Amino acid sequence: GNEDKSQQILEDLLDRHGDRPVAAEALHILGFTDRALWDRLLAEFPRHPRSAEVAVQRLQENSKDAPENIDLLLLLSRHLYLPNYLTYLDRLKNDYGDRLTPEQWELVAFGYWEKQIYGEAGKAYAKAPPTARNLYRSGRGLQLGDETKEARSAYRQLAEQFPEAPETGEGLVKLAAIVREDEEAIPILDRAIANFPDRAAEALLLRAKTLDRLDSADSAKQARESILTQYSNSDTAAELRWQYARDRAEEGDFAEAWQWAQQITTENPNSEEAPKAAFWVGKWAARLGREAEAKQAFEFAIGNYPESYYAWRSAVQLGWEVGDFNTLRSRSPQVVIPTNRHALPSGSQTLQELYWLGLDREAWTIWQVEFENAMQPTADEQFTDGIMRVGVGDYLEGLFMLSNLKWRDEPEVRSRYLELKQTPAYWQGLYPFPYLEPILKWSQERQLNPMLTISLIRQESRFMRSIQSSVGATGLMQVMPDTAEWISEQRGEDDLDYDLTNPEDNIRLGTLYLDYTHDEYDDNSLLAMASYNAGPGSVASWLDRFSTRDPDEFAAKIPFPETNHYIEAVFGNYWNYLRLYEPNIRRQVDSLANG
């Protein structure tokens, strides 16, 4: 209550440490009695969250046409975490677009891009400085926003102004896919093949598909053969090999299917298809009676792709105590959450100490000031930003920042990512365990595996408690209001008030419905999860069409790509939570690491 002493200390802080991020806190407090200090706050610490608070307040107090509004909105355009961020970005674009410089348009474009409003991002990037990156994003954003004509124009401008830039190779392939006539695509793809070796295989596959449509079967076949001979180590070659493997398996030729899949594990070990191929090498070897080879393949899949859904399927085949589709529901694995924290690869010593102390909000606040390279971060900066976001509950953006490291193809970023993914901090950041108490409580109440519950939550909502889908599914487990009302009546829990944005209520009702879907399918978690995603009608149709004797074959035949992905994602989550937080499974996986 000693305000005079408090003010003296804060003023002393500004005199002695006025250039440090913590000075922004002092300026904010003192600014309530001396508003000029808020001007200083905005000028000296524009990226500090306190500056965003002041900017929001001033926008609310100002008239709609106040001259300073554009500067306030430009400041807020750097604060992507704000709840109403898109509102400020829209206002900046709509009210002041004719006054923005190209560099300011780049800020607007980056904001829309990060929020995945790709159509608006594409339009804004078209007004940004015409770099190769900006022109590519303009074309891609416009393409994703269904502005096909404008996208073609942006890609052509990219190819004309930056004929040798890496982005141009990708832009040519994207352009070839959206030209008006197939005949137009061929010369564009030929240019990509000739000038961009890292895009040649992808361009060749698109060329083959285009030639198929033009009834040039021989030329199409030749293009595919070129992929396998000239670009054997490419991801596109892996994609093609997997297509051939599945085709042969559908025909019952498991020996040739095995050969194609085996090639992926040797020629394309870093491709997206490799974990799947490694698992099916084992499945098809077992089908051919080669049990020793099958065991070796399953161990290879776990050792080399320990984070994949197919590592779990391999562990099941090896007889590990990890739960299969028919037994997973009732398992009660040990959940051990590590308490130690690892040093962050970026950030000041002050930030590091706050993070080690568990003061995530304070560490995050400092990071907002220190993170100056948001548009093109290093791998270490992007990793640190992801961890910081997860620490303050911005799980959606935090998990995106961490997982997106995998897709960056700059050589130095790729090399550093491969180092970071070997650290426990990376995986614990990707698979955090928030809401531990209600998850354990309601999973036990419903006799559900808690690892399954959190795996579904991670997929459905990325732990964002108030998130809502376009059709009204709400909260952590994306429960529809009608479903919540119906299941609570069915199970005799309709006498309780609830709020679907409240984690406790959402998990209570979500696990109640998950319990119901399991009961409907005799505790088969594969069918229960498929029903949770696609509905019981779709599952009934698939059960009529496909045999469930081999659950892996059944899952592969589900004709909804969204549900295919959903099953792999949820059970892939389950496996990762199991290998990270169940000590016995972690030791088993570690014993096969890099096998």
Side-chain angles (χ1 to χ4, degrees):
N2 190 336
E3 293 186 9
D4 291 340
K5 182 65 175 175
S6 171
Q7 181 165 334
Q8 179 184 339
I9 292 171
L10 291 172
E11 290 172 350
D12 185 42
L13 168 63
L14 289 178
D15 289 339
R16 296 170 59 188
H17 306 288
D19 60 340
R20 301 283 293 275
V22 71
E25 300 283 0
L27 289 168
H28 182 252
I29 295 170
L30 294 172
F32 282 100
T33 54
D34 181 359
R35 291 301 176 97
L37 292 177
W38 280 0
D39 295 331
R40 181 179 166 187
L41 169 63
L42 296 180
E44 296 181 13
F45 299 98
R47 290 189 302 275
H48 196 284
R50 293 300 189 188
S51 293
E53 290 181 29
V54 170
V56 168
Q57 181 175 333
R58 286 189 169 179
L59 279 175
Q60 293 171 343
E61 294 171 349
N62 289 350
S63 62
K64 190 177 186 301
D65 55 354
E68 71 166 340
N69 286 352
I70 183 172
D71 294 323
L72 295 173
L73 290 166
L74 282 167
L75 182 148
L76 292 173
S77 72
R78 298 178 181 272
H79 293 260
L80 280 79
Y81 59 86
L82 291 169
N84 296 319
Y85 175 77
L86 287 174
T87 301
Y88 305 127
L89 210 59
D90 288 343
R91 184 174 172 186
L92 179 61
K93 177 198 67 172
N94 295 331
D95 294 355
Y96 302 100
D98 58 344
R99 294 167 55 185
L100 297 180
T101 67
E103 289 73 21
Q104 290 168 341
W105 271 113
E106 188 174 26
L107 277 177
V108 173
F110 178 74
Y112 280 125
W113 188 271
E114 289 295 292
K115 292 299 182 181
Q116 300 180 41
I117 312 297
Y118 292 117
E120 291 299 328
K123 295 173 186 177
Y125 271 120
K127 300 176 183 179
T131 65
R133 180 174 181 264
N134 288 347
L135 286 172
Y136 171 77
R137 286 194 169 187
S138 176
R140 186 61 177 152
L142 290 164
Q143 181 182 358
L144 292 171
D146 294 325
E147 302 280 350
T148 307
K149 179 181 177 182
E150 291 78 4
R152 288 195 293 262
S153 177
Y155 286 137
R156 289 194 171 102
Q157 185 181 354
L158 167 65
E160 179 180 344
Q161 295 189 24
F162 300 94
E164 298 180 0
E167 292 88 350
T168 299
E170 190 169 356
L172 288 170
V173 174
K174 294 289 193 296
L175 173 60
I178 59 171
V179 291
R180 295 184 184 87
E181 303 292 340
D182 284 330
E183 289 84 356
E184 291 183 67
I186 300 299
I188 296 171
L189 292 169
D190 287 344
R191 178 178 172 184
I193 294 164
N195 298 329
F196 299 94
D198 59 329
R199 295 292 171 190
E202 184 182 0
L204 274 167
L205 184 57
L206 185 55
R207 191 179 198 278
K209 294 176 179 178
T210 305
L211 290 167
D212 281 334
R213 292 193 296 271
L214 293 171
D215 295 324
S216 298
D218 290 341
S219 296
K221 180 181 178 182
Q222 187 178 27
R224 290 186 171 92
E225 289 173 351
S226 295
I227 295 170
L228 299 179
T229 55
Q230 298 179 50
Y231 305 97
S232 182
N233 300 125
S234 67
D235 289 349
T236 305
E239 180 185 340
L240 193 56
R241 287 184 173 113
W242 180 248
Q243 178 187 326
Y244 291 160
R246 288 304 303 174
D247 289 346
R248 300 295 84 75
E250 286 291 324
E251 296 166 1
D253 188 347
F254 299 111
E256 190 170 349
W258 180 91
Q259 289 179 345
W260 282 112
Q262 180 68 19
Q263 284 184 35
I264 296 174
T265 65
T266 56
E267 295 291 311
N268 318 101
N270 298 318
S271 69
E272 284 295 296
E273 309 293 348
K276 178 166 52 179
F279 168 70
W280 283 98
V281 163
K283 287 277 285 192
W284 289 327
R287 186 73 65 93
L288 294 166
R290 299 176 346 215
E291 297 298 335
E293 289 182 25
K295 180 176 183 293
Q296 185 179 11
F298 295 136
E299 290 177 345
F300 176 88
I302 297 171
N304 288 272
Y305 311 105
E307 72 277 11
S308 73
Y309 162 82
Y310 293 98
W312 171 57
R313 298 308 301 148
S314 296
V316 170
Q317 296 297 316
L318 290 170
W320 290 15
E321 292 294 322
V322 294
D324 199 356
F325 289 122
N326 287 314
T327 61
L328 187 154
R329 178 239 167 98
S330 59
R331 283 182 53 81
S332 299
Q334 185 181 10
V335 180
V336 178
I337 309 295
T339 56
N340 59 309
R341 291 192 167 196
H342 306 272
L344 297 167
S346 287
S348 64
Q349 185 63 28
T350 301
L351 181 147
Q352 298 282 351
E353 291 184 15
L354 291 168
Y355 174 69
W356 287 330
L357 288 166
L359 298 172
D360 291 323
R361 177 62 60 173
E362 290 79 1
W364 172 84
T365 297
I366 290 179
W367 178 245
Q368 299 312 300
V369 178
E370 295 181 356
F371 187 30
E372 299 180 2
N373 195 30
M375 287 192 188
Q376 291 184 297
T378 66
D380 285 353
E381 289 170 337
Q382 186 168 328
F383 175 87
T384 300
D385 189 57
I387 295 295
M388 289 287 95
R389 290 173 187 252
V390 168
V392 297
D394 186 9
Y395 296 106
L396 187 67
E397 299 292 344
L399 296 183
F400 174 79
M401 292 298 283
L402 291 171
S403 61
N404 185 254
L405 274 170
K406 180 179 182 179
W407 304 110
R408 292 184 59 182
D409 53 12
E410 307 97 312
E412 67 280 4
V413 174
R414 181 69 184 171
S415 175
R416 183 59 176 145
Y417 159 71
L418 294 175
E419 294 175 2
L420 290 169
K421 72 173 293 198
Q422 301 302 317
T423 66
Y426 174 79
W427 295 108
Q428 290 164 14
L430 266 180
Y431 295 91
F433 216 125
Y435 311 110
L436 176 62
E437 291 186 8
I439 287 172
L440 293 178
K441 170 187 172 183
W442 290 111
S443 296
Q444 182 179 14
E445 179 78 14
R446 318 299 188 201
Q447 296 181 321
L448 287 168
N449 187 329
M451 299 287 199
L452 185 61
T453 302
I454 194 169
S455 299
L456 183 144
I457 290 173
R458 185 183 186 276
Q459 179 60 23
E460 288 285 353
S461 66
R462 293 294 192 268
F463 308 109
M464 302 303 288
R465 56 186 293 173
S466 300
I467 200 167
Q468 189 171 68
S469 75
S470 59
V471 295
T474 302
L476 295 175
M477 298 185 74
Q478 286 292 275
V479 180
M480 292 290 291
D482 290 347
T483 301
E485 182 178 353
W486 177 80
I487 194 64
S488 60
E489 291 176 355
Q490 290 288 314
R491 297 300 174 101
E493 296 189 15
D494 54 332
D495 57 333
L496 300 175
D497 293 330
Y498 58 82
D499 173 4
L500 290 178
T501 64
N502 178 290
E504 181 83 18
D505 291 345
N506 193 283
I507 294 171
R508 177 176 70 84
L509 290 163
T511 53
L512 194 64
Y513 186 66
L514 191 58
D515 174 40
Y516 166 78
T517 61
H518 275 84
D519 287 350
E520 287 293 292
Y521 298 105
D522 296 325
D523 285 341
N524 184 304
S525 293
L526 170 61
L527 301 178
M529 285 299 178
S531 179
Y532 200 100
N533 175 257
S538 296
V539 174
S541 171
W542 302 332
L543 288 172
D544 286 340
R545 295 167 59 188
F546 312 125
S547 169
T548 58
R549 184 173 57 185
D550 185 329
D552 296 303
E553 289 283 0
F554 178 86
K557 290 178 179 177
I558 290 176
F560 288 7
E562 178 189 338
T563 305
N564 281 130
H565 171 74
Y566 184 84
I567 288 168
E568 286 194 19
V570 170
F571 291 106
N573 292 346
Y574 166 75
W575 167 250
N576 278 294
Y577 278 105
L578 202 62
R579 75 180 181 93
L580 291 173
Y581 302 113
E582 214 287 357
N584 291 329
I585 303 303
R586 184 170 65 245
R587 283 190 289 269
Q588 281 185 284
V589 173
D590 289 345
S591 71
L592 295 176
N594 301 314

